[in-house]
Amino acid sequence: MEYSVPKLTGSSMHDVSPVTDRGSSDADMSAQERAKTTLKARIRQEEMMITRWAQLWRKITLSAIGKTLFPYAGYIRILNLGDLEELLGDAKFKDQVSTMFFEGELGKYRAETSGPRKNQVRLDAGSTSNKLGEIITTSTPMLEELSGKIENDALLRWIPRLPRLRLLNLWYGEALVGVGPLLRQHCHDFKTLSLWGWSHAAADSKFADFLNEITPQTLESLEIFSYMAIGAESLLALSCHRETLTELKLDYVNAEALQSLNLLAGCTNLRTLLLTDGTYRQVNLKDDHNDVFLETIAWLRRCKKLRSVTIRSIRGGQDLVTPILLENDIHLNNLELKGYIMADARDFHQALSNQPSLQELQLQGDSDEAGDGVAILVESLSQLSNLTDLRLQDVSDYFTDEVIGRLARSLPKLEGWWTSGWGVTDGIWRDVAKLKSLRRLDMAALSRFTANGILDFVLNLGPGNKGLVLAIMMADVDCDLSEEEQNTIRETMAARVDGRFEFQLQRATTALTAQNTQGVSDIHYIPSAFVAKQIDACIDDIGVDVAKIVDAVASALEKHGRPTGAQLLPPEAVTNLREKLLPLATILTPNIPEAKLLLDNAGIQYPEIQRPQDIVRIASLLKGLGPKYVLLKGGHIPFNEDWQIAQTAESRKWVTDVLCSSNPQDCATFEMKYSASKNTHGTGCSLASAVASNLALGHDVPSAVEKACRFVERGIKTAPDLGKGSGPINHFHSLGVKEVEELYEESSLVRRPWEWD
């Protein structure tokens, strides 16, 4: 929330809510200060923060109904109802805080919903925040930005009250239906739209209507963060804003949209373009739709104002980017290309040298051990002397001391550097120490550094390296640093440049993910031959319960016996998974999209999901692929109260997981109340890990699954709200800490036998 007045309730102007940005206070503390702050004191600080923000929102709302001396709401410029919903849903928003907030006039705006226990009611944070938003927006004539999970039809009432509105950030695209004409009539400064998703079957036509209904040539920025069923109609409608549209970020592009990119031909004033393939790389424009590919290339070459280009996971993405790089009239500052094959990218790598204006570069693609791929890439990178941030994943797997040293000498302005490599030693430190502006170095290379070598590097750092973070993530196990050596390096870095040192040995790991709460940006796969050696070493000595890579694992499992779990892999490995690993697996735990991908790969037809029984049928079909059990996770398809597919966000009430086995007594559905929480990052991995852990403890499969479902359900309910996107669940809710136990509620999970009809 941001205000035009200098102070409110004793606080300075706010543009970040600590309710959702909980790391802010920690970030301002040094390591020593954090260590001195007890858990109890930090919990008390959080409680005080919740109280202060509850008081702030209460004053804002009361001012909107004329119950305060000062009209606070009238000065709000940025209103994020998502922050309000997070506050109302916070576990510490209870008892005295809740009573204080809803006292008197605000009591009528409290919305409640049924709890998991009989006759239990609890605060409905989403509905309450929308009710309060209804009141607040009656008195916010200066409001410029509005965000949140806004209910359908709400904007139809709110928009006429907001003449200065210029930005909408909406969780559900459905809220836009019918809003276009109102924006055109009342909000002449509207120019920015962000959407988290829109899955309705008519989303494409409805969104196209919206784009056509708002004032032509006004939209400057469009960003879509997650799944949205847009296609040709929407992309064509964007031509109504071809003169003004400068930023286009489509973080989930479906097959229809990919095959319609040429319809953006008129949008040539773009400065920022982001495209992420949401089809599991099933569409190859160049090979399968060459006419569209050529027209798309022609469009991109006409975008002379492009400064930032991001292409993620699009097959042949390098072929889309290369013509841009070769245009002498295009001068990029930022480029990100992920998911390409290095052996097919010779022209792309050579073309990189034609963009000396590049300041930030991120590349991820299948590495090239043989051939001259590395040499061509390094030659081009060495000519990009203006780079300040360089992230190389997989493409740098075979970088040596010589290569890393050359890049360090050629790129003097580097501030951030992420690279992998092979057999990297202390020989790099002399050149890297000359990077006088370096603030972060992530060395994800198989390395053989010594404590003395690292200390010499640290002692050569200068004032420009203040705050440097040095992360060594894959040190050779034969070059382990003792705790004393690590502490010496940490203390020296802290004293020298107020920096931080992170150290990790290479483990029996099959893949590394680069991710945060806003998504997985990349995956680095460890060579399967080396993974096989790790598996053999572990099984021969200790034994394992779960394995997660196809080629190497399947052969190792045949040698050592069946695992207790299985996990889906990227699309390139689906056939191998289906043919080699599934027959060896005890339990397979796919979600709905992964299940469909497996069945499509096997050429098996499956029913479209209309009711829970269809999920049961799909689980049964998956069981035929070989695993002993299938746990099909239904969280992607919530149902309404009548157990029909929910058509609106408000009608989502139930989700169901299905366990399938050859033994009818073990088959069951696990029904849970739908949670609207955004904190669901990693729930699938958490569930699979919990199942495996329970199996290792001796539970049978049905019991292991039921316990795992309850574990994840509670983890979502007590999630700590980390990050700006989809935060992680709370994995520590069962540790028995007194303060945490107060957050627990009885699980809504119900286990039932299968019902086919």
Side-chain angles (χ1 to χ4, degrees):
M1 190 185 310
E2 187 172 312
Y3 310 92
S4 299
V5 289
K7 286 196 174 182
L8 181 63
T9 63
S11 301
S12 300
M13 183 173 68
H14 302 280
D15 56 9
V16 176
S17 166
V19 176
T20 54
D21 190 27
R22 292 169 186 258
S24 57
S25 59
D26 285 352
D28 296 334
M29 299 170 62
S30 66
Q32 293 84 353
E33 290 173 329
R34 284 194 295 271
K36 292 178 182 178
T37 304
T38 65
L39 175 61
K40 188 173 183 179
R42 296 181 69 178
I43 291 175
R44 178 57 182 160
Q45 290 174 0
E46 290 187 5
E47 290 174 344
M48 293 174 62
M49 176 192 71
I50 294 294
T51 300
R52 287 196 299 268
W53 278 86
Q55 292 170 340
L56 173 64
W57 278 104
R58 176 176 168 82
K59 281 194 174 185
I60 293 295
T61 309
L62 287 174
S63 73
I65 56 177
K67 297 299 181 180
T68 60
L69 291 177
F70 191 82
Y72 298 114
Y75 292 90
I76 296 177
R77 292 192 286 115
I78 299 175
L79 179 62
N80 189 339
L81 293 177
D83 287 352
L84 176 57
E85 182 177 349
E86 294 293 332
L87 171 68
L88 298 175
D90 194 283
K92 295 180 178 61
F93 186 87
K94 59 182 181 178
D95 301 334
Q96 294 180 349
V97 178
S98 179
T99 300
M100 174 274 296
F101 185 87
F102 290 109
E103 184 181 3
E105 294 284 344
L106 296 194
K108 69 179 76 172
Y109 303 113
R110 178 187 176 99
E112 296 180 336
T113 185
S114 59
R117 292 188 292 272
K118 186 176 181 180
N119 298 324
Q120 181 192 23
V121 294
R122 59 184 177 185
L123 178 66
D124 186 330
S127 296
T128 301
S129 64
N130 271 269
K131 282 189 172 185
L132 295 173
E134 185 83 44
I135 301 304
I136 294 172
T137 55
T138 62
S139 302
T140 54
M142 299 181 66
L143 189 67
E144 298 176 3
E145 300 182 12
L146 177 62
S147 305
K149 298 179 183 178
I150 298 174
E151 296 175 350
N152 294 358
D153 301 331
L155 290 178
L156 298 178
R157 299 184 299 275
W158 299 4
I159 292 300
R161 312 167 184 167
L162 309 175
R164 296 193 181 188
L165 188 70
R166 59 181 179 85
L167 178 149
L168 279 174
N169 186 336
L170 304 176
W171 197 271
Y172 306 119
E174 292 91 335
L176 289 176
V177 176
V179 171
L182 296 175
L183 285 171
R184 184 170 186 163
Q185 180 181 356
H186 300 282
C187 305
H188 300 152
D189 294 326
F190 180 73
K191 61 182 68 175
T192 303
L193 176 63
S194 299
L195 295 174
W196 285 91
W198 196 349
S199 57
H200 194 276
D204 188 27
S205 61
K206 295 292 185 182
F207 189 53
D209 289 343
F210 170 82
L211 294 172
N212 286 315
E213 289 167 351
I214 63 176
T215 305
Q217 312 305 341
T218 56
L219 190 65
E220 296 180 3
S221 174
L222 172 62
E223 184 168 10
I224 296 174
F225 295 100
S226 185
Y227 178 78
M228 188 161 173
I230 64 170
E233 289 188 61
S234 297
L235 296 184
L236 186 60
L238 280 172
S239 62
C240 294
H241 306 278
R242 59 187 177 275
E243 297 176 9
T244 56
L245 190 65
T246 60
E247 182 179 61
L248 180 60
K249 295 183 177 180
L250 305 179
D251 214 5
Y252 186 105
V253 184
N254 59 31
E256 181 183 351
L258 276 175
Q259 297 167 37
S260 306
L261 287 177
N262 56 324
L263 298 179
L264 292 168
C267 301
T268 57
N269 284 319
L270 291 176
R271 295 180 61 86
T272 300
L273 175 65
L274 182 151
L275 299 173
T276 301
D277 187 350
T279 71
Y280 294 102
R281 295 169 57 85
Q282 294 179 4
V283 177
N284 188 323
L285 285 183
K286 185 176 182 180
D287 294 344
D288 303 332
H289 308 277
N290 191 252
D291 54 339
V292 174
F293 171 77
L294 294 176
E295 292 178 10
T296 301
I297 290 298
W299 159 56
L300 291 173
R301 294 179 65 182
R302 293 196 301 272
C303 297
K304 304 299 185 182
K305 298 179 181 179
L306 273 176
R307 294 296 178 266
S308 176
V309 174
T310 300
I311 304 293
R312 296 174 182 156
S313 303
I314 295 180
R315 287 180 64 185
Q318 72 276 2
D319 296 322
L320 289 175
V321 177
T322 300
I324 299 175
L325 301 178
L326 293 175
E327 281 294 315
N328 293 328
D329 294 335
I330 296 178
H331 306 287
L332 296 181
N333 301 131
N334 179 292
L335 174 62
E336 177 181 334
L337 178 63
K338 294 190 174 182
Y340 70 100
I341 299 175
M342 197 170 177
D344 298 336
R346 180 189 182 100
D347 292 342
F348 165 71
H349 288 153
Q350 288 178 328
L352 281 171
S353 62
N354 199 51
Q355 291 291 326
S357 57
L358 277 171
Q359 298 175 8
E360 299 179 15
L361 177 62
Q362 297 187 50
L363 301 177
Q364 182 276 322
D366 290 346
S367 56
D368 186 5
E369 180 177 8
D372 56 358
V374 170
I376 294 173
L377 174 60
V378 173
E379 179 63 32
S380 289
L381 292 176
S382 298
Q383 299 179 50
L384 304 179
S385 58
N386 287 308
L387 281 178
T388 60
D389 189 88
L390 177 62
R391 294 180 59 85
L392 303 174
Q393 297 169 266
D394 298 349
V395 295
S396 54
D397 280 356
Y398 297 99
F399 279 17
T400 61
D401 283 6
E402 181 182 356
V403 169
I404 293 175
R406 178 182 177 184
L407 291 178
R409 294 190 300 271
S410 303
L411 308 175
K413 297 181 181 180
L414 278 183
E415 299 175 8
W417 191 1
W418 198 108
T419 184
S420 52
W422 188 265
V424 181
T425 72
D426 290 336
I428 70 168
W429 294 128
R430 177 177 297 180
D431 290 318
V432 175
K434 295 177 182 178
L435 296 172
K436 298 305 180 183
S437 299
L438 191 66
R439 299 296 182 86
R440 182 168 188 108
L441 177 60
D442 293 274
M443 188 59 62
L446 183 61
S447 59
R448 300 182 61 84
F449 299 127
T450 66
N452 288 335
I454 298 172
L455 282 171
D456 286 343
F457 164 70
V458 174
L459 292 173
N460 280 290
L461 297 174
N465 304 118
K466 184 174 178 60
L468 173 71
V469 176
L470 172 60
I472 296 173
M473 295 178 281
M474 291 184 63
D476 191 309
V477 293
D478 294 330
C479 298
D480 192 9
L481 301 181
S482 67
E483 286 296 322
E484 181 180 357
E485 290 174 322
Q486 292 182 47
N487 288 335
T488 299
I489 295 172
R490 291 188 179 98
E491 292 169 2
T492 305
M493 284 197 68
R496 184 78 177 178
V497 292
D498 193 24
R500 190 169 80 244
F501 177 63
E502 301 171 0
F503 181 80
Q504 182 176 332
L505 291 174
Q506 184 198 36
R507 301 295 186 183
T509 303
T510 63
L512 301 172
T513 62
Q515 61 178 299
N516 56 25
T517 65
Q518 300 181 75
V520 178
S521 59
D522 199 13
I523 303 174
H524 172 68
Y525 299 103
I526 310 301
S528 58
F530 189 79
V531 174
K533 295 179 181 179
Q534 297 181 84
I535 294 174
D536 288 341
C538 291
I539 294 179
D540 287 338
D541 185 16
I542 302 171
V544 299
D545 295 319
V546 180
K548 296 182 180 179
I549 194 170
V550 176
D551 293 322
V553 171
S555 59
L557 295 177
E558 289 172 356
K559 175 181 176 182
H560 296 287
R562 180 185 299 269
T564 57
Q567 174 176 318
L568 280 174
L569 297 172
E572 294 80 2
V574 172
T575 299
N576 284 336
L577 181 147
R578 179 173 58 80
E579 295 176 350
K580 297 181 180 181
L581 188 55
L582 294 193
L584 300 175
T586 298
I587 183 167
L588 176 70
T589 62
N591 57 32
I592 297 294
E594 292 166 343
K596 292 180 177 179
L597 187 65
L598 272 174
L599 293 173
D600 286 338
N601 181 267
I604 298 174
Q605 294 186 347
Y606 48 85
E608 287 298 320
I609 297 175
Q610 300 295 333
R611 53 183 185 157
Q613 289 83 349
D614 295 325
I615 300 181
V616 170
R617 287 185 170 86
I618 291 177
S620 180
L621 292 173
L622 286 171
K623 173 67 181 65
L625 297 181
K628 284 188 173 181
Y629 291 84
V630 171
L631 176 62
L632 181 53
K633 299 171 290 187
H636 284 74
I637 302 183
F639 295 91
N640 60 22
E641 288 284 9
D642 298 322
W643 285 98
Q644 301 296 318
I645 292 180
Q647 297 298 322
T648 65
E650 294 77 16
S651 65
R652 297 170 184 172
K653 301 298 181 183
W654 296 96
V655 294
T656 183
D657 296 344
V658 171
L659 179 65
C660 177
S661 167
S662 299
N663 182 358
Q665 294 181 342
D666 288 344
C667 297
T669 60
F670 299 88
E671 301 167 3
M672 291 156 281
K673 287 197 172 183
Y674 175 81
S675 174
S677 172
K678 72 179 181 67
N679 299 308
T680 56
H681 189 89
T683 50
C685 295
S686 299
L687 181 64
S689 297
V691 170
S693 298
N694 288 323
L695 290 173
L697 290 173
H699 297 290
D700 60 27
V701 172
S703 297
V705 169
E706 182 173 356
K707 290 178 180 293
C709 289
R710 294 184 188 277
F711 172 84
V712 171
E713 183 187 32
R714 285 188 174 184
I716 294 173
K717 288 182 178 180
T718 61
D721 290 327
L722 299 177
K724 300 176 181 178
S726 177
I729 70 172
N730 174 19
H731 294 91
F732 307 105
H733 58 71
S734 58
L735 293 180
V737 179
K738 183 177 180 181
E739 292 86 355
V740 176
E741 288 178 346
E742 298 174 0
L743 309 180
Y744 288 176
E745 296 179 341
E746 183 178 331
S747 173
S748 67
L749 184 139
V750 177
R751 175 177 167 182
R752 303 184 191 279
W754 272 17
E755 295 180 3
W756 283 92
D757 297 306

